[in-house]
Amino acid sequence: QTHNHLGRSLLLREIFNKEEGEAPAVDYALEKKNAQFVTQLINSKLIKSCNDVSDGGILMTISKMSFEHKISAALDKKQLEYLFAEDQARYIITTTNTDEIIKLAGKNDIFIEKIGETQAGKISVAEMEIELSKLQQDFDKIIAVNFS
């Protein structure tokens, strides 16, 4: 579940040049419970792709998944804190079995929410969008400048 935790986040450090707040607390029982649930979904072949949410929050995770799977997303939420929060024990999954997964989550006492829809070629958040090809070019430039 996203609690909009930005302390010690990538967003604060890289965009706002701030090193403040506490890192999000880790709830090991919740981490294990959610990881086991995701493993169950993978083993049941109910999901197409999955990635844990970590540095950079939901938006960074969606970007990484877009590069790897060549499919991106139209996100329903637009609040900065929500998109970049680094709360623990969260996963982004893509599926064509939404209703079944939501039912399974309820039966297993797992918090789940639909945050958007997959789409081809671009990441959209509210009225803003960026073409995946442009995002990939910018990412490649950053890597070349900083790691060559």
Side-chain angles (χ1 to χ4, degrees), residues 36-63:
Q36 288 174 331
F37 180 69
V38 167
T39 300
Q40 176 187 349
L41 297 177
I42 292 167
N43 291 339
S44 300
K45 304 198 182 321
L46 290 173
I47 61 177
K48 290 183 169 188
S49 63
C50 176
N51 204 311
D52 68 309
V53 178
S54 57
D55 289 346
I58 288 172
L59 197 54
M60 184 62 73
T61 301
I62 297 287
S63 298

Side-chain angles (χ1 to χ4, degrees), residues 21 39 57 74 118 121 132-133 145 147:
T39 300
T118 57
L132 191 53
S133 59
V145 167
F147 299 103

Side-chain angles (χ1 to χ4, degrees), residues 17-36:
N17 293 318
K18 293 182 179 180
E19 292 277 348
E20 62 187 34
E22 296 296 321
V26 177
D27 179 338
Y28 293 104
L30 184 61
E31 290 277 358
K32 182 177 179 180
K33 180 179 168 183
N34 289 353
Q36 288 174 331

Side-chain angles (χ1 to χ4, degrees), residues 19 26 41 44 68 77 99 105 109 115 127:
E19 292 277 348
V26 177
L41 297 177
S44 300
E68 184 175 340
K77 306 229 181 182
D99 293 338
D109 193 32
I115 64 169
E127 307 83 35

Side-chain angles (χ1 to χ4, degrees), residues 49-98:
S49 63
C50 176
N51 204 311
D52 68 309
V53 178
S54 57
D55 289 346
I58 288 172
L59 197 54
M60 184 62 73
T61 301
I62 297 287
S63 298
K64 288 188 290 188
M65 291 175 77
S66 295
F67 294 155
E68 184 175 340
H69 300 287
K70 303 300 182 217
I71 191 160
S72 40
L75 302 177
D76 297 333
K77 306 229 181 182
K78 63 180 182 179
Q79 296 84 2
L80 186 73
E81 295 85 0
Y82 182 87
L83 295 171
F84 289 96
E86 295 182 5
D87 300 292
Q88 302 295 300
R90 297 178 303 149
Y91 294 84
I92 300 291
I93 63 171
T94 62
T95 185
T96 57
N97 301 294
T98 305

